[in-house]
Amino acid sequence: MKFPSHVSLSQETREELIELLNTCLANAIDLHWQVKQAHWNVRGKHFISRHELFDAVADHVRKHADDFAERAGALGGYAEGTIRLAIRNSELEEYDLAAVSGEEHVRALLLRITAYAASIRQGIHRSENLEDPVSEDLLTRILAEVEQDLWFLESHLYGSTVQASRREGTPTGIPEGLPPPPHA
Ligand SMILES: [Fe+2]
């Protein structure tokens, strides 16, 4: 524990929460710059709409990083928020540096944001088990925004996916490289 905290949770509980919040922080910092990479480097059809959508998503993720870091601080923790610390702790894989078209960037982002969301969902369950409704609520609100962004992104693939799968006679309609939706 780095700093004193008057939050009425045991030190052990706070340490576990701080650790999970720092993992979420590292993922958010890594993801923020990955989404910016897409924002800066996308080319081709629908350039402006995708360029702007990626910037909106990056803005959301940047704010998540601040929320994770400040909750860790409220619990008496040290926010591990430099780029180097974030890269050491991030659970995400490096961005797809070969992506060029909007569709390639959307696919690359969906894979990484899905992993980001899964980690936050795991954090919600852990916060619930640790009986900290404040962290649980914070993570739940962030996950709701992440899942809305996933919807915005995956909607960009829908038409091309359906058309492609009809052309190719594939039954699933699931974009290549993406995990199937849990309730498909
Ligand atoms: Fe920009």
Side-chain angles (χ1 to χ4, degrees):
M1 194 65 59
K2 184 84 173 175
F3 303 109
S5 167
H6 289 80
V7 170
S8 55
L9 291 167
S10 71
Q11 180 170 329
E12 193 181 24
T13 297
R14 283 187 286 124
E15 279 175 356
E16 203 171 322
L17 288 164
I18 290 161
E19 188 186 330
L20 81 83
L21 287 161
N22 266 322
T23 300
C24 288
L25 172 62
N27 291 344
I29 291 168
D30 188 4
L31 181 61
H32 169 256
W33 292 110
Q34 293 201 23
V35 184
K36 277 292 196 181
Q37 184 76 3
H39 167 73
W40 292 322
N41 289 297
V42 66
R43 296 289 187 278
K45 270 197 293 188
H46 313 299
F47 167 77
I48 279 293
S49 69
R50 281 158 176 173
H51 177 71
E52 289 178 352
L53 172 64
F54 297 158
D55 212 23
V57 174
D59 250 4
H60 295 162
V61 180
R62 184 177 54 78
K63 288 176 188 139
H64 302 164
D66 203 46
D67 289 341
F68 295 135
E70 292 181 1
R71 182 62 189 154
L75 293 168
Y78 184 77
E80 298 177 348
T82 68
I83 295 283
R84 286 170 182 79
L85 283 170
I87 294 313
R88 196 186 305 162
N89 296 332
S90 173
E91 299 171 313
L92 307 185
E93 59 181 88
E94 171 59 302
Y95 194 62
D96 176 5
L97 302 182
V100 175
S101 70
E103 187 165 327
E104 287 166 342
H105 282 293
V106 168
R107 286 176 192 277
L109 291 175
L110 277 171
L111 282 171
R112 288 150 185 84
I113 297 174
T114 298
Y116 176 62
S119 187
I120 296 170
R121 187 176 290 280
Q122 196 177 36
I124 292 169
H125 294 314
R126 281 175 69 195
S127 302
E128 185 185 12
N129 292 338
L130 292 165
E131 299 182 354
D132 178 20
V134 179
S135 296
E136 186 187 345
D137 178 64
L138 176 80
L139 292 168
T140 303
R141 283 189 286 110
I142 289 174
L143 182 60
E145 186 169 64
V146 174
E147 290 187 347
Q148 186 172 49
D149 283 339
L150 279 172
W151 171 49
F152 275 41
L153 287 164
E154 69 198 7
S155 295
H156 279 254
L157 294 183
Y158 185 74
S160 63
T161 302
V162 169
Q163 284 161 20
S165 61
R166 280 185 187 145
R167 266 201 311 274
E168 294 155 19
T170 53
T172 64
I174 296 165
E176 193 184 335
L178 285 181
H183 303 298

mmCIF file with all atom_site columns, all heavy atoms in Angstrom, residues 36 39-40 51 55, ligand 1:
data_model
loop_
_atom_site.group_PDB
_atom_site.id
_atom_site.type_symbol
_atom_site.label_atom_id
_atom_site.label_alt_id
_atom_site.label_comp_id
_atom_site.label_asym_id
_atom_site.label_entity_id
_atom_site.label_seq_id
_atom_site.pdbx_PDB_ins_code
_atom_site.Cartn_x
_atom_site.Cartn_y
_atom_site.Cartn_z
_atom_site.occupancy
_atom_site.B_iso_or_equiv
_atom_site.pdbx_formal_charge
_atom_site.auth_seq_id
_atom_site.auth_comp_id
_atom_site.auth_asym_id
_atom_site.auth_atom_id
_atom_site.pdbx_PDB_model_num
ATOM   1  N  N   . LYS A 1 36 ? -5.741  5.481  -31.384 1.00 0.00 ? 36 LYS A N   1
ATOM   2  C  CA  . LYS A 1 36 ? -5.190  6.659  -32.068 1.00 0.00 ? 36 LYS A CA  1
ATOM   3  C  C   . LYS A 1 36 ? -4.409  6.237  -33.315 1.00 0.00 ? 36 LYS A C   1
ATOM   4  O  O   . LYS A 1 36 ? -4.440  6.925  -34.344 1.00 0.00 ? 36 LYS A O   1
ATOM   5  C  CB  . LYS A 1 36 ? -4.263  7.434  -31.120 1.00 0.00 ? 36 LYS A CB  1
ATOM   6  C  CG  . LYS A 1 36 ? -5.002  8.371  -30.193 1.00 0.00 ? 36 LYS A CG  1
ATOM   7  C  CD  . LYS A 1 36 ? -5.625  9.525  -30.970 1.00 0.00 ? 36 LYS A CD  1
ATOM   8  C  CE  . LYS A 1 36 ? -6.025  10.669 -30.077 1.00 0.00 ? 36 LYS A CE  1
ATOM   9  N  NZ  . LYS A 1 36 ? -6.658  11.763 -30.838 1.00 0.00 ? 36 LYS A NZ  1
ATOM   10 N  N   . HIS A 1 39 ? -6.883  5.856  -35.871 1.00 0.00 ? 39 HIS A N   1
ATOM   11 C  CA  . HIS A 1 39 ? -7.379  7.196  -36.234 1.00 0.00 ? 39 HIS A CA  1
ATOM   12 C  C   . HIS A 1 39 ? -6.423  7.888  -37.206 1.00 0.00 ? 39 HIS A C   1
ATOM   13 O  O   . HIS A 1 39 ? -6.841  8.507  -38.188 1.00 0.00 ? 39 HIS A O   1
ATOM   14 C  CB  . HIS A 1 39 ? -7.526  7.997  -34.937 1.00 0.00 ? 39 HIS A CB  1
ATOM   15 C  CG  . HIS A 1 39 ? -7.714  9.460  -35.089 1.00 0.00 ? 39 HIS A CG  1
ATOM   16 N  ND1 . HIS A 1 39 ? -8.885  10.023 -35.531 1.00 0.00 ? 39 HIS A ND1 1
ATOM   17 C  CD2 . HIS A 1 39 ? -6.871  10.501 -34.821 1.00 0.00 ? 39 HIS A CD2 1
ATOM   18 C  CE1 . HIS A 1 39 ? -8.749  11.358 -35.537 1.00 0.00 ? 39 HIS A CE1 1
ATOM   19 N  NE2 . HIS A 1 39 ? -7.543  11.663 -35.111 1.00 0.00 ? 39 HIS A NE2 1
ATOM   20 N  N   . TRP A 1 40 ? -5.125  7.750  -36.957 1.00 0.00 ? 40 TRP A N   1
ATOM   21 C  CA  . TRP A 1 40 ? -4.140  8.454  -37.789 1.00 0.00 ? 40 TRP A CA  1
ATOM   22 C  C   . TRP A 1 40 ? -3.865  7.740  -39.115 1.00 0.00 ? 40 TRP A C   1
ATOM   23 O  O   . TRP A 1 40 ? -3.496  8.382  -40.096 1.00 0.00 ? 40 TRP A O   1
ATOM   24 C  CB  . TRP A 1 40 ? -2.798  8.556  -37.023 1.00 0.00 ? 40 TRP A CB  1
ATOM   25 C  CG  . TRP A 1 40 ? -2.834  9.452  -35.841 1.00 0.00 ? 40 TRP A CG  1
ATOM   26 C  CD1 . TRP A 1 40 ? -3.492  10.651 -35.723 1.00 0.00 ? 40 TRP A CD1 1
ATOM   27 C  CD2 . TRP A 1 40 ? -2.180  9.228  -34.585 1.00 0.00 ? 40 TRP A CD2 1
ATOM   28 N  NE1 . TRP A 1 40 ? -3.283  11.174 -34.469 1.00 0.00 ? 40 TRP A NE1 1
ATOM   29 C  CE2 . TRP A 1 40 ? -2.478  10.335 -33.751 1.00 0.00 ? 40 TRP A CE2 1
ATOM   30 C  CE3 . TRP A 1 40 ? -1.361  8.222  -34.074 1.00 0.00 ? 40 TRP A CE3 1
ATOM   31 C  CZ2 . TRP A 1 40 ? -2.004  10.451 -32.440 1.00 0.00 ? 40 TRP A CZ2 1
ATOM   32 C  CZ3 . TRP A 1 40 ? -0.883  8.335  -32.776 1.00 0.00 ? 40 TRP A CZ3 1
ATOM   33 C  CH2 . TRP A 1 40 ? -1.199  9.431  -31.977 1.00 0.00 ? 40 TRP A CH2 1
ATOM   34 N  N   . HIS A 1 51 ? -12.322 7.797  -39.324 1.00 0.00 ? 51 HIS A N   1
ATOM   35 C  CA  . HIS A 1 51 ? -11.330 8.647  -38.654 1.00 0.00 ? 51 HIS A CA  1
ATOM   36 C  C   . HIS A 1 51 ? -11.974 9.298  -37.415 1.00 0.00 ? 51 HIS A C   1
ATOM   37 O  O   . HIS A 1 51 ? -11.380 9.313  -36.330 1.00 0.00 ? 51 HIS A O   1
ATOM   38 C  CB  . HIS A 1 51 ? -10.889 9.701  -39.681 1.00 0.00 ? 51 HIS A CB  1
ATOM   39 C  CG  . HIS A 1 51 ? -9.933  10.735 -39.206 1.00 0.00 ? 51 HIS A CG  1
ATOM   40 N  ND1 . HIS A 1 51 ? -8.619  10.468 -38.910 1.00 0.00 ? 51 HIS A ND1 1
ATOM   41 C  CD2 . HIS A 1 51 ? -10.102 12.071 -39.005 1.00 0.00 ? 51 HIS A CD2 1
ATOM   42 C  CE1 . HIS A 1 51 ? -8.016  11.591 -38.546 1.00 0.00 ? 51 HIS A CE1 1
ATOM   43 N  NE2 . HIS A 1 51 ? -8.896  12.573 -38.589 1.00 0.00 ? 51 HIS A NE2 1
ATOM   44 N  N   . ASP A 1 55 ? -11.548 8.399  -33.229 1.00 0.00 ? 55 ASP A N   1
ATOM   45 C  CA  . ASP A 1 55 ? -11.146 9.446  -32.282 1.00 0.00 ? 55 ASP A CA  1
ATOM   46 C  C   . ASP A 1 55 ? -12.111 9.494  -31.093 1.00 0.00 ? 55 ASP A C   1
ATOM   47 O  O   . ASP A 1 55 ? -11.675 9.695  -29.944 1.00 0.00 ? 55 ASP A O   1
ATOM   48 C  CB  . ASP A 1 55 ? -11.110 10.804 -32.990 1.00 0.00 ? 55 ASP A CB  1
ATOM   49 C  CG  . ASP A 1 55 ? -10.035 11.721 -32.405 1.00 0.00 ? 55 ASP A CG  1
ATOM   50 O  OD1 . ASP A 1 55 ? -9.069  11.194 -31.810 1.00 0.00 ? 55 ASP A OD1 1
ATOM   51 O  OD2 . ASP A 1 55 ? -10.160 12.941 -32.544 1.00 0.00 ? 55 ASP A OD2 1
HETATM 52 FE FE  . FE  B 2 .  ? -6.909  13.745 -34.579 1.00 0.00 ? 1  FE  B FE  1
#
